[in-house]
Amino acid sequence: MENDYDRIRAGIDFMTAYAAGNDSLTQYVGEQRRDNPAAAEQMLDGTAALCALLLRKAAGDTGRTQHEILQELAHGIQEHEQLAEEGQGA
């Protein structure tokens, strides 16, 4: 990838397929791999670039640090997993 725009655009494409569901994601990943042997690395890079941009935006919008936002996300995921485990054990 040549520039940040291309990286973020690739991340948007990947996340659009992800949000559309498993079939769309599988098809998108298959097409990318077929067209470009380095596609997996580029998809990962693009998704990371998109996440970094969104994290910077969220920090700017909320006045919190990127680290605080990441900690909150990690805490929320941990709570969600714990609740899911408790629900399965009941």
Side-chain angles (χ1 to χ4, degrees):
M1 303 235 163
E2 295 181 16
N3 58 46
D4 285 343
Y5 174 82
D6 290 336
R7 293 174 65 213
I8 292 168
R9 181 74 237 167
I12 290 169
D13 290 346
F14 181 78
M15 292 307 297
T16 299
Y18 176 84
N22 285 339
D23 291 340
S24 294
L25 181 61
T26 300
Q27 181 180 354
Y28 176 78
V29 170
E31 289 171 1
Q32 293 301 310
R33 286 185 176 155
R34 185 176 51 252
D35 295 342
N36 180 355
E41 184 177 321
Q42 289 179 347
M43 285 185 281
L44 180 60
D45 179 68
T47 303
L50 175 61
C51 288
L53 176 66
L54 294 172
L55 183 59
R56 282 192 299 272
K57 180 169 177 15
D61 289 350
T62 63
R64 295 166 48 214
T65 67
Q66 293 178 27
H67 184 74
E68 289 170 329
I69 293 169
L70 289 170
Q71 283 183 320
E72 183 177 325
L73 289 169
H75 181 72
I77 290 169
Q78 182 182 22
E79 284 182 354
H80 178 76
E81 288 176 350
Q82 288 174 344
L83 290 172
E85 287 175 7
E86 291 172 8
Q88 289 176 356

